[in-house]
Amino acid sequence: MGWGDLGAFGEPSKETPNLDQMASEGMLFLDFYTASPLCSPSRAALLTGRLPVRNGFYTTNAHARNAYTPQDVVGGIPDSELLLPELLKKAGYINKIIGKWHLGHRPQFHPLKHGFDEWFGSPNCHFGPYDNRALPNIPVYRDWEMIGRYYEDFKIDLKTGEANLTQIYLQEALDFISRQQASQQPFFLYWAIDATHAPVYASKHFLGSSQRGLYGDAVREIDDSIGKILKHLQKLGISENTFVFFTSDNGAALISAPKQGGSNGRFLCGKQTTFEGGMREPAIAWWPGHIPAGGVSHQLGNVMDLFTTSLSLAGLQPPSDRQIDGIDLLPAILQGKLIDRPIFYYRGNEMMAVRVGLYKAHYWTWSNSWEEYSKGIDFCPGQNVSGVTTHTQEEHTTLPLLFHLGRDPGEKYPLSFASDEYQGVMERISVVVQQHKETMVPGEPQLNVCDKAVMNWSPPGCEKLGKCLKPPKSDPKKCFWPH
């Protein structure tokens, strides 16, 4: 979902009344970022508080390539990483993930092995349908075992866009919250729905209800569901004891536009890129009785901060034996303080850009290759900016492209290299970058090796359902990442 998809962020059709109300009752973050312009690395960052290049969710197969966790990837979240739910257990929390996990689908990467007590959802995105010979359909799990597969037992109609998944995920959330409230148990719920990821879907009640087509239908259903979750917390009398945060894993995928893509507002490009449209996200914090209503924060935030902030709320300290990139946002949320910190924009193994204050310096630019672009794959449709949205990897480490995001949020007008402003700002940014690179110890890359034998052929529980499939012979190869 993109920065420009919510009414509270200026979307003109105003079709997100519940999220807009959440913002009016809580705090809007205008400068909130993800840690990667792609789904699974940003999710790994959220749950570890660490950049993907540290937690292993990147590739070294080719320079500055985006990589994620498709069915045939061999890697996943390493045992050496400490995930938020593992740490929250120390404070007595019960942890549930609903929806897309995307941090590895092999048994050792199962979310219940990494701190979650319950899971209802899928290890991968809802791509398909597949023939179960060349590629298996993606399994849906309840806790340790699969209970069916997408397109077979959990229908998604690609012609109409109809699917009941968001409604199923909503009911799972409401039931979990009710159970924890009844047992007076503190809980962490990670509600990771994926309806706005192409192929976009919505339930029958919402189909055709939006001015924005099928994508808008999906957004409306998500908005309605979040409204029901917040009302449920209030009805149970636990809203003042529950911190809720809404955000996205990456910017809207403009490659899927206009029918299945969202809006990144005034920002340049979208998903897959390290321009603002790829990594600046809608973000809302809600905690009645604690967060002043109608707040707007210009704090530079990142999904990794949810790791550190959640630990702080639970009275826990972050691990001291590793570099944690997330900061505690509570001073910004509760006291309106602004914490000075940079934002690093990574693409694979390369730091592409950095933001310090209102300035953003690009050390590398690359939207996607000419080869991919010539096939119609365009992450910046209609947004070509000469010398900025490049189709070859362009290095600017000697003279970074510098933008003032206050005056130029669309990254169209680089500051003159000869200006005093450029010289003064780059002196400050260079120190930040040098310090960052000195502390950078990359993790073991998890997204380098692919093997069709490790796909979702025979997940746990397939025997009971008669849905086990025979895997092909193992043949590990280097994964190919075009972007």
Side-chain angles (χ1 to χ4, degrees), residues 12-25:
S13 63
K14 302 279 196 222
E15 293 182 347
T16 52
N18 295 289
L19 283 161
D20 298 347
Q21 184 176 340
M22 181 184 178
S24 70
E25 294 173 357

Side-chain angles (χ1 to χ4, degrees), residues 179-257:
R179 290 201 314 273
Q180 305 321 308
Q181 188 272 338
S183 62
Q184 298 292 293
Q185 191 79 35
F187 65 88
F188 165 51
L189 172 60
Y190 175 35
W191 199 63
I193 64 330
D194 63 356
T196 50
H197 188 302
V200 173
Y201 62 80
S203 62
K204 191 170 187 177
H205 176 72
F206 289 91
L207 285 179
S209 67
S210 169
Q211 299 174 58
R212 305 178 66 205
L214 180 57
Y215 182 87
D217 297 341
V219 171
R220 289 199 67 190
E221 184 167 18
I222 290 170
D223 175 78
D224 182 77
S225 299
I226 290 166
K228 287 186 167 78
I229 290 171
L230 298 184
K231 286 183 180 72
H232 194 58
L233 293 170
Q234 291 168 324
K235 180 183 161 190
L236 294 175
I238 57 173
S239 59
E240 294 196 2
N241 294 332
T242 310
F243 177 83
V244 184
F245 201 94
F246 171 85
T247 191
S248 176
D249 59 352
N250 46 247
L254 300 185
I255 189 174
S256 306

Side-chain angles (χ1 to χ4, degrees), residues 161-196:
E162 183 179 349
N164 287 328
L165 292 172
T166 302
Q167 292 303 309
I168 296 170
Y169 293 151
L170 168 61
Q171 196 57 52
E172 284 288 323
L174 299 178
D175 291 348
F176 174 73
I177 292 167
S178 293
R179 290 201 314 273
Q180 305 321 308
Q181 188 272 338
S183 62
Q184 298 292 293
Q185 191 79 35
F187 65 88
F188 165 51
L189 172 60
Y190 175 35
W191 199 63
I193 64 330
D194 63 356
T196 50

